[in-house]
Amino acid sequence: MLRAAAWAAAAGALASGCDPHRDVDSGVVRSAGGPSPSRAGHAPPARARAARPPTRVPGLPVQIAHGPRNGRAVALTFHGRGDPKMATALLGEAERAGAKVTVLAIGDWLDEQPAMARRILDGGHELGNHTMHHRNICALPAAEAYAEISQCADRLRALTGTIGSWFRPSQARRATDLVAGLARKAGYPHVLSYGVDSLDANDPGAPAVQRTVLDAVEPGSVVSLHLGHAGTVAALPPILDGLRRRGLRAVTTTELVT
């Protein structure tokens, strides 16, 4: 295991509080009134291969924006929502290159596309929580913010057996202290931030996404990308090729930090 102490101080410099940057796209208490993880009128899908439980790394800060800078790995993390065919195509591109990614799924997307949980995990990728409805979680009252976290955790647990490896706040790069505490209450020891924003949700086109990522990525980077965007699917092979040329490899976030 890589020693966390060498880089925890740098990661800990990530300040708490909501970032105004736009970002489109364990005991868990089940919230009353939420929709069932399976759609009405349909049989529940077969449970996906078991997901990893929440990642806990002693010595790391609550909010993680990057991994060790002295390694040769990076984490490509995807906000999970959008056309399942496009998501499946993106996962296939990663797998053809031998890459593993982390998908932070939105709960209402899992309600609509429950089979995607199985697809992500069966590809050897990692699955986490990006809130139930992708609201501006840092601006919500505590009870509503907790419901956003816990309801998505419920969906993940029903589909995969665990609440997922990571929590990432919605419409925020970083969590407030309140939201980080609510995530911990829901079972997530760490909040997953990121250091490289691909800006792919603006649909600038594949060459721009590729350039933005490769201009900023370095060993240990956590990169923010999105499912559901054609430009991202097209940009992924050249991004992975560019990483390979630099001697870097794309791994799950848990592999990056442990």
Side-chain angles (χ1 to χ4, degrees), residues 135-156:
R135 301 170 67 191
N136 183 358
I137 193 167
C138 291
L140 295 176
E144 293 183 36
Y146 183 68
E148 283 291 308
I149 301 169
S150 63
Q151 287 176 14
C152 185
D154 283 346
R155 301 311 189 266
L156 288 164

Side-chain angles (χ1 to χ4, degrees), residues 109-179:
W109 183 65
L110 291 175
D111 280 349
E112 295 170 0
Q113 307 295 339
M116 285 306 304
R118 173 180 288 277
R119 175 63 186 87
I120 291 162
L121 295 175
D122 285 354
H125 309 290
E126 190 168 46
L127 190 58
N129 179 333
H130 194 40
T131 76
M132 187 65 203
H133 302 103
H134 204 269
R135 301 170 67 191
N136 183 358
I137 193 167
C138 291
L140 295 176
E144 293 183 36
Y146 183 68
E148 283 291 308
I149 301 169
S150 63
Q151 287 176 14
C152 185
D154 283 346
R155 301 311 189 266
L156 288 164
R157 186 170 59 178
L159 290 170
T160 72
T162 83
I163 63 172
S165 300
W166 298 97
F167 167 72
R168 172 172 285 169
S170 49
Q171 297 194 42
R173 190 168 188 154
R174 297 180 289 269
T176 59
D177 288 343
L178 171 63
V179 170

